[in-house]
Amino acid sequence: MLIRWSLAVLIGLLAGVWTAQRPGDPALFPAASSETTIVVHLIDNGFHTDLAVPRVALAAGDDALAQAVRALPPGDWVRVGWGDSVFYVEQGAISGRLPDGARAFFKPGGNPSVVMVDPDPVDPARFPETARATVALSPEGFAALRKRVAASLRLDKEGRAVVSAQRDGDDAVFYASGETFWVGHLCNHWTAEVLNAGGLSMPMARSLTSGAVMRAVRQAEQSAAELDLNDAGD
C-alpha cells in the first residue's frame, strides 16, 4: 500500500508540474478595443520558436536592445530568439549535430546562451498559418515583453550588448545572454517567458515543445477575438 500511495503521489506531482501554467496579466492582455495594438508573430520551425516583431517598436528608446536593433541592416521586422551559444548559432543538418545537441541539453551546470536579433524585410503575416501564430499586444503589454527580452542581454561596462557571434552572409547578430541554456530552460521556455511577460498565459514545463507555445498563443488570440465580439454585441 505504501508503494502504491507513493507512486500515486509521484504521478500527481508530475502531472501538476506538467500542466502548470504561468497566469496571464489582464492588465496587459488582451488590449482594450480603444487601444492601438502592436502585432507580434510567433514563428515555429517544428522544434524551435522565434518572435517576429515590428522593428520600429523594438528599436524605441535608448537602452542596449534599442541600440542593437538600430545597428541592424534594413528590415521592417526583427526576428528575436534565444538559445545555446554554439548549437543555436551553427547551421547544418541536425543529424550531424546530435552530439553537440546532447551537450547543449545535458551539460552539468548548463551552457552560455545568446539572444538573436535578425532583420527581416518580409512581413511574417505571409508565412503559412501552420508555422505562425499572431497576437496583438497592448502598448503596455509590448513594453513588458520588450523589457523581458532586454533583460536577457549581458551588458559590458558601458551598458552595451555584447556581440557573441555572427555568420558569414547572414544579417543575424547573436548577443551574449546572462541566462543559462539547459534541458530545464530551453529556447521555447524562454519564448514562453517573454510572451508571459507581455500578459499572455503560458505553460511552464510543457513549453519544452514549440507546439505547446504555439497552442497557447492561438488560444490567447482566440480568447481576445471572442472578447472583442462580446464587447461589440453589448
Side-chain angles (χ1 to χ4, degrees), residues 24-114:
D25 185 345
L28 299 178
F29 182 85
S33 57
S34 59
E35 288 184 294
T36 300
T37 58
I38 300 171
V39 172
V40 172
H41 300 279
L42 180 67
I43 309 299
D44 178 14
N45 70 3
F47 65 93
H48 170 87
T49 50
D50 287 330
L51 297 170
V53 302
R55 181 180 185 137
V56 65
L58 200 62
D62 197 37
D63 60 1
L65 178 59
Q67 294 169 13
V69 171
R70 289 199 291 266
L72 292 172
D76 290 338
W77 292 85
V78 176
R79 294 275 200 103
V80 181
W82 178 88
D84 178 77
S85 62
V86 178
F87 188 81
Y88 186 34
V89 175
E90 292 183 352
Q91 296 178 305
I94 293 294
S95 58
R97 299 164 59 203
L98 290 178
D100 190 50
R103 183 272 311 160
F105 270 56
F106 302 116
K107 179 182 176 182
N111 305 273
S113 64
V114 290

Side-chain angles (χ1 to χ4, degrees), residues 146-161:
R146 187 191 178 285
K147 183 178 180 181
R148 176 63 181 85
V149 174
S152 294
L153 295 170
R154 180 162 58 84
L155 308 181
D156 63 17
K157 293 180 180 179
E158 284 72 40
R160 296 171 300 193

Side-chain angles (χ1 to χ4, degrees), residues 41-234:
H41 300 279
L42 180 67
I43 309 299
D44 178 14
N45 70 3
F47 65 93
H48 170 87
T49 50
D50 287 330
L51 297 170
V53 302
R55 181 180 185 137
V56 65
L58 200 62
D62 197 37
D63 60 1
L65 178 59
Q67 294 169 13
V69 171
R70 289 199 291 266
L72 292 172
D76 290 338
W77 292 85
V78 176
R79 294 275 200 103
V80 181
W82 178 88
D84 178 77
S85 62
V86 178
F87 188 81
Y88 186 34
V89 175
E90 292 183 352
Q91 296 178 305
I94 293 294
S95 58
R97 299 164 59 203
L98 290 178
D100 190 50
R103 183 272 311 160
F105 270 56
F106 302 116
K107 179 182 176 182
N111 305 273
S113 64
V114 290
V115 175
M116 180 197 74
V117 289
D118 184 8
D120 192 345
V122 178
D123 187 341
R126 297 172 61 180
F127 279 60
E129 292 187 3
T130 54
R132 171 181 55 84
T134 302
V135 66
L137 299 181
S138 67
E140 295 80 8
F142 183 82
L145 177 149
R146 187 191 178 285
K147 183 178 180 181
R148 176 63 181 85
V149 174
S152 294
L153 295 170
R154 180 162 58 84
L155 308 181
D156 63 17
K157 293 180 180 179
E158 284 72 40
R160 296 171 300 193
V162 178
V163 175
S164 176
Q166 290 182 266
R167 296 185 294 223
D168 291 339
D170 192 330
D171 289 336
V173 182
F174 297 85
Y175 287 94
S177 173
E179 301 182 46
T180 300
F181 185 97
W182 65 294
V183 70
H185 189 233
L186 301 176
C187 54
N188 298 317
H189 292 128
W190 183 87
T191 304
E193 291 169 6
V194 170
L195 289 164
N196 178 246
L200 280 69
S201 176
M202 281 284 133
M204 296 177 69
R206 283 182 295 119
S207 60
L208 171 76
T209 67
S210 62
V213 184
M214 292 285 282
R215 284 190 294 274
V217 173
R218 287 177 175 138
Q219 289 168 3
E221 181 184 15
Q222 181 177 355
S223 297
E226 291 171 353
L227 185 61
D228 283 343
L229 285 175
N230 291 336
D231 290 343
D234 292 341

